Amino acid sequence: MKRSEIIICMGSSCYVRGNEENLKLIEDYIEKNQLEAEIHLCGSNCARQCAEGPNITINGVLHQNVKKDDLLEILDMVYGGKARDTMKEERV
């Protein structure tokens, strides 16, 4: 079985624009949905799309200007969204 891959840009521009928080959200999402065996999460130094950041690539698809709520929707679309409501409640 091929693992899904999430690459989060950790270059300085994407990091300060929101990928620091997005990384934590992705890690929580993976844990709450018990997807550790299915997803390979890694960082990149730069996606070379700084003006459009924060950037996250999921299974080869580049998502740009990713905000926290957008990221939850993207993760739900790709992975089924088992923990979205629980995660929203905890963030309040």
Side-chain angles (χ1 to χ4, degrees):
M1 179 171 123
K2 185 176 178 186
R3 292 173 71 186
S4 179
E5 182 176 64
I6 299 175
I7 303 170
I8 185 165
C9 181
M10 298 307 281
S12 58
S13 179
C14 286
Y15 187 80
V16 298
R17 288 182 176 186
N19 269 354
E20 177 182 18
E21 291 178 321
N22 286 341
L23 175 60
K24 292 174 189 170
L25 189 140
I26 292 168
E27 290 171 332
D28 288 347
Y29 191 93
I30 290 170
E31 182 181 336
K32 290 191 184 309
N33 285 285
Q34 299 175 342
L35 297 170
E36 295 88 350
E38 298 173 35
I39 297 173
H40 174 69
L41 173 62
C42 61
S44 70
N45 288 330
C46 185
R48 304 205 191 307
Q49 300 286 325
C50 301
E52 304 298 327
N55 298 296
I56 299 172
T57 302
I58 301 175
N59 297 327
V61 177
L62 177 62
H63 300 274
Q64 298 180 309
N65 196 26
V66 179
K67 307 292 185 241
K68 287 190 327 186
D69 287 338
D70 297 334
L71 180 54
L72 279 176
E73 288 180 25
I74 294 165
L75 293 171
D76 282 349
M77 227 173 26
V78 176
Y79 300 108
K82 301 174 202 168
R84 181 178 170 88
D85 294 332
T86 304
M87 292 179 74
K88 273 189 160 182
E89 290 171 12
E90 289 177 3
R91 287 193 338 225
V92 175

